[in-house]
Amino acid sequence: MEIALKRAYDPPARGDGYRVLVDRLWPRGISKEALALDAWAKDLAPSTALRRWFGHDPARWDAFRTRYRAELAAAGAGERIVAIVAQARPARRLTLLFAARDVEHNEAVVLRALFARAATGARKR
């Protein structure tokens, strides 16, 4: 399964497969129809406190990733990730949507690795 990242503000494409918004907040100015979501995984988004602390500051990126992974582990997010992978499997592609302008330093980048691990693990079973 391919796992792609895409800004929520980019138009949906036929090849996106199963589309999941991974932000806690709905992207400004976008309707539900325009976003064409299959799921909204706001429970996988960073906490408000962590999001505000990070502020998309690349200097805080390494610490953000560490703290975010710890939040996900404490919340038991692994089961939710596995469930989304199972739902996306027929589409053969999972696209994680995010609103941040910085495409290299955001929660979707961290989640992609976790989803990839879950997809690989699910294939082995």
Side-chain angles (χ1 to χ4, degrees), residues 20-21 26-27 29 37 44 100 105 111-112 121 123:
V20 179
L21 178 63
W26 190 264
L37 282 185
L44 296 179
H105 304 100
L111 286 171
R112 178 176 43 194
R123 241 192 348 250

Side-chain angles (χ1 to χ4, degrees), residues 61 64-65 68-69 72 106-114:
W61 175 240
F64 169 78
R65 288 187 321 185
Y68 183 34
R69 284 190 210 117
L72 291 166
N106 64 68
E107 73 273 8
V109 174
V110 176
L111 286 171
R112 178 176 43 194
L114 299 175

Side-chain angles (χ1 to χ4, degrees), residues 50-121:
L50 180 58
R51 180 177 51 82
R52 287 181 178 160
W53 171 83
F54 175 46
H56 296 285
D57 179 355
R60 293 184 174 178
W61 175 240
D62 290 335
F64 169 78
R65 288 187 321 185
T66 301
R67 291 177 184 191
Y68 183 34
R69 284 190 210 117
E71 275 190 0
L72 291 166
E79 290 179 23
R80 175 80 161 120
I81 290 170
V82 169
I84 291 171
V85 166
Q87 291 171 330
R89 190 158 303 286
R92 295 188 177 173
R93 182 177 174 123
L94 171 63
T95 299
L96 303 178
L97 302 171
F98 61 94
R101 286 186 187 122
D102 186 340
V103 298
E104 295 177 13
H105 304 100
N106 64 68
E107 73 273 8
V109 174
V110 176
L111 286 171
R112 178 176 43 194
L114 299 175
F115 275 97
R117 195 172 312 139
T120 302

